[in-house]
Amino acid sequence: MSRMGDVLAGFHAAWEFESDSVLIRYERGIRTPKLLSALGERRIPLAAIEGVSLEPGRRGTVVLRIEPRAGADPLIEAAAGQLKEACDPYRLVLSAERDALAEYYADELRARLTESGPAQRFLVAAPEAPLSFKAYDAKASFDGRTVRFRWFWTGASSAKWKAGDQSFPVSELSGVEWRSPEVLEGYLRLRRGAAEAGNGPPAPARADQDPGAVVFGLGYGAVHESLPLAAAVLAAVRSRGAATAVPAAVPAVAAPRRAPADVAERIRHLGELHRAGLVTDEEFSAKKAELLSEL
């Protein structure tokens, strides 16, 4: 950049341009998307950047965006294209009046880029452990070496209760699969090395029956809590030389029928959320009908 340490501030974030990186600091205000607030700040090496774009935004704004190289950022790899636009950590939204200034910095940044194509290793640091969050059926935690699932009696399936609380050393994992809690049947599934290599029993098709997975739900497994943990685990797996994480697009598998006891328990919990005002009448009716259809 023209001067090391130049800062360009926008809505919810500020970019500081250094000689070899861009330091992004996210605001912690109530209007800032929770994922960005949770990230705090991130240093993006220039080697992790493939391009820079500047486009018109909404309501009199412009959007300056860094285009990261494929495979350079564990957070983006774990998200697998599921993040909403507002949660994109590489977007800087500015008022349209600052268009010329944004274009200047975009040109300056482009002139310093020398790398392109997929990165051979992660170049952006993952969120730091320890990390934890509450899923619908368990508390998931990661201390940097081991992932642990502690089942909740109010949400865990009978299959998970029989298996008992789980601990997964990073050395035994081959990847992570994260399905956003903002879609139906979101989950975090750990890919185990033995099963992936065909040397162990295959994981159950349904995440709610798999002791290597936790399922999300209304109010559980929020993006700003579950995605940083998934990214940290994925980075730890890669750094230990484990197999590459599963592809973003996972083939659909016909789901087996749920056990009646599991359906009854989920409807009971859904009713509690409804009575607490966390679920609307329409959402309650739709989800209850969906659960009953799985019997």
Side-chain angles (χ1 to χ4, degrees), residues 202-270:
R206 295 196 69 101
D208 65 343
Q209 300 298 313
D210 182 1
V214 294
V215 297
F216 305 149
L218 297 171
Y220 294 93
V223 172
H224 69 283
E225 297 176 332
S226 61
L227 180 57
L229 186 146
V233 174
L234 180 57
V237 169
R238 296 277 185 90
S239 69
R240 288 176 177 267
T244 303
V246 296
V250 179
V253 179
R257 294 293 183 182
R258 292 186 192 270
D262 289 339
V263 172
E265 179 59 33
R266 287 189 175 240
I267 291 177
R268 184 196 66 77
H269 181 69
L270 186 64

Side-chain angles (χ1 to χ4, degrees), residues 143-163:
D143 62 5
R145 298 181 301 275
T146 304
V147 183
R148 292 183 172 84
F149 295 157
R150 181 169 59 81
W151 308 121
F152 296 149
W153 70 269
T154 54
S157 65
S158 56
K160 292 183 176 180
W161 271 113
K162 289 178 182 178

Side-chain angles (χ1 to χ4, degrees), residues 45-184:
L46 298 186
I49 302 174
E50 187 162 41
V52 183
S53 64
L54 180 63
E55 303 290 343
R58 301 173 183 173
R59 299 177 182 176
T61 63
V62 292
V63 179
L64 181 62
R65 186 179 188 277
I66 287 174
E67 300 167 7
R69 295 169 61 194
D73 184 350
L75 188 84
I76 298 302
E77 291 294 299
Q82 300 175 75
L83 284 180
K84 292 182 177 180
E85 185 179 77
C87 292
D88 183 348
Y90 288 97
R91 293 173 74 251
L92 182 65
V93 181
L94 307 115
S95 63
E97 291 79 6
R98 308 185 73 190
D99 178 69
L101 185 61
E103 183 62 48
Y104 165 77
Y105 279 107
D107 289 341
E108 287 283 300
L109 189 53
R110 291 188 191 105
R112 289 183 174 266
L113 302 182
T114 59
E115 305 291 337
S116 63
Q120 298 303 308
R121 61 184 179 85
F122 288 138
L123 301 173
V124 181
E128 294 184 1
L131 295 161
S132 65
F133 70 91
K134 287 185 178 181
Y136 172 76
D137 56 359
K139 178 181 179 181
S141 61
F142 179 53
D143 62 5
R145 298 181 301 275
T146 304
V147 183
R148 292 183 172 84
F149 295 157
R150 181 169 59 81
W151 308 121
F152 296 149
W153 70 269
T154 54
S157 65
S158 56
K160 292 183 176 180
W161 271 113
K162 289 178 182 178
D165 291 346
Q166 300 290 299
S167 295
F168 301 93
V170 167
S171 58
E172 297 179 3
L173 301 177
S174 61
V176 177
E177 180 185 345
W178 180 80
R179 181 173 173 81
S180 175
E182 296 178 344
V183 298
L184 200 61

